[in-house]
Amino acid sequence: MLKGKTALVTGSTSGIGLGMAKSLARQGANIVLNGFGDVDGPRSQVEASGVKVEYHGADMSKPGEIEDMMKFAASRFGRVDILVNNAGIQHVAPVEDFPPEKWDAIIAINLSSAFHASRLALPAMKAANWGRIINVASVHGLVGSVQKSAYVAAKHGLVGLTKVTALENAITGVTCNAICPGWVLTPLVQKQVDARALANGCSNEEATRQLLGEKEPSMQFTTPDELGELAVFFCSPAANNVRGVAWNMDGGWVAQ
Ligand code: NAD
């Protein structure tokens, strides 16, 4: 379905971004990977679908590096047809103890990077009259949780950016939508499970049960593959008129 298209997925060396990249590659899209850590493992998982894969290591907190990455993608593949703004980090602390530098980093990586990548991707998408911008927000783009001020502020901002981007392009073939996962067992969440196990003196299994039990009625993690398939739907012709939605995949978290 996506043969001949190019998808750039930020933060795709791990977790949800890697799941998105693999799902889009299974549909035939060439992929630009981005993110820190091991690149060869993720690259070979995506290449298994027989598509072309490139990597750019831009630090998404740095607008100049984002600009380099967008130029790099255009030079390798002509243009970016599908942009998945996924890179993100977390830090937990009450507002009065929240380190200002962590606030700045979370706003830069989880929110401002999506603005920069989108503003740089849109001209070519509009010229082609086809494009998909998919912002990986969170249930925390829709509701709050204690100790996550920067993350919740960034994700609410990302849902707002999604709506405006969708509206500004509503009469074009370019759509913008957000995906709002509940708990997904990635390194980002495993750190929160580990912190809980340490604080409560309990096992990993008990900490996981507590984490899910507080928020997620299904008592199940959503998987990166399931989220990747929602991204594929947003890229399909059936989603041509899906514009500006914030679609939660959260085991019932936000239904409560
Ligand atoms: P993860 O830690 O597994 O992956 C994060 C990715 O972002 C990695 O590839 C990492 O290298 C990259 N990254 C981090 N900082 C970066 C930077 N400055 N520049 C470039 N890349 C950077 O986390 P994840 O759980 O897969 O999270 C991915 C996205 O999904 C995030 O935006 C997160 O907020 C969101 N999300 C996660 C969950 C969850 O439960 N895991 C729930 C809702 C939303």
Side-chain angles (χ1 to χ4, degrees), residues 61 89 91 97-109 150:
S61 69
I89 57 167
H91 182 80
D97 298 332
F98 212 91
E101 62 281 7
K102 289 280 185 201
W103 171 278
D104 289 344
I106 289 175
I107 298 298
I109 296 165

Side-chain angles (χ1 to χ4, degrees), residues 11-17 34-36 58-61 86-89 109-110 136-139 151 155 181-184 186-189:
S12 46
T13 49
S14 170
I16 295 171
N34 158 262
F36 301 147
D59 179 339
M60 296 304 290
S61 69
N86 166 78
I89 57 167
I109 296 165
N110 296 19
V136 180
S138 165
V139 283
Y151 189 87
K155 295 298 187 180
W183 290 124
V184 186
T186 65
L188 182 141
V189 165

